[in-house]
């Protein structure tokens, strides 16, 4: 015998163990044992919303599952309509410098070595936060 009824507030579970093992409702708690080994065990659990199914387990590793019967209570309120996702805009590049960020000067040369007295052109295009340079 197994029953799982929900009345809008209380989930009532009752079951009888064939071998007299104590039964537990997975995720909720133990059932109170009966007076005899084959007596019905039962418990009431206050839940906001019942699970679709309950699973009973015993210490010997046995399990049994059953659907919960809804006997009363309010229906779940209607959910919000689905939101259609917007296309990914890709990376966002903010061209305006952050006034709080410190200026960083980066100068790179296209050559790795130079002779004494020679000249080199520096590229400062990767610098940030600077409005002018010398």
């Amino acid at each position: 015998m197994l029953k799982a009824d929900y009345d809008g507030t209380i989930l009532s579970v009752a079951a009888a163990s064939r071998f007299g093992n104590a039964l537990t409702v997975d995720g909720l708690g133990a059932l109170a044992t009966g007076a005899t080994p084959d007596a019905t065990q039962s418990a009431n659990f206050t839940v906001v919303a019942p699970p679709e199914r309950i699973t009973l387990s015993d210490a010997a590793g046995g399990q049994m599952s059953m659907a919960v019967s809804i006997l009363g209570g309010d229906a779940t309120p209607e959910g919000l309509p689905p939101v259609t996702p917007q296309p990914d805009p890709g990376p966002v590049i903010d061209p305006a410098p952050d006034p709080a960020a410190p200026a960083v000067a980066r100068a790179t040369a296209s050559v790795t070595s130079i002779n004494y007295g020679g000249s080199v052109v520096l590229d400062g295009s990767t610098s940030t936060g600077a409005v002018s340079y010398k």
Side-chain angles (χ1 to χ4, degrees):
M1 182 279 226
L2 173 63
K3 83 170 182 112
D5 297 331
Y6 182 69
D7 69 3
T9 306
I10 304 292
L11 173 62
S12 300
V13 180
S17 173
R18 184 172 156 194
F19 301 107
N21 296 328
L23 299 172
T24 301
V25 179
D26 292 358
L28 293 174
L31 301 182
T33 56
T36 61
D38 60 350
T40 300
Q41 303 174 39
S42 63
N44 292 326
F45 304 99
T46 302
V47 294
V48 175
E52 179 183 1
R53 301 184 70 75
I54 61 161
T55 301
L56 287 170
S57 300
D58 68 12
Q63 287 191 327
M64 181 177 187
S65 179
M66 115 169 254
V68 173
S69 297
I70 307 298
L71 304 177
D74 295 334
T76 303
E78 185 177 330
L80 297 174
V83 176
T84 304
Q86 298 298 315
D88 184 0
V92 177
I93 300 171
D94 184 5
D98 181 1
V104 176
R106 290 186 192 94
T108 57
S110 59
V111 294
T112 56
S113 65
I114 187 169
N115 293 329
Y116 181 77
S119 63
V120 67
V121 176
L122 297 176
D123 177 5
S125 62
T126 60
S127 298
T128 58
V131 292
S132 65
Y133 63 94
K134 289 185 180 183

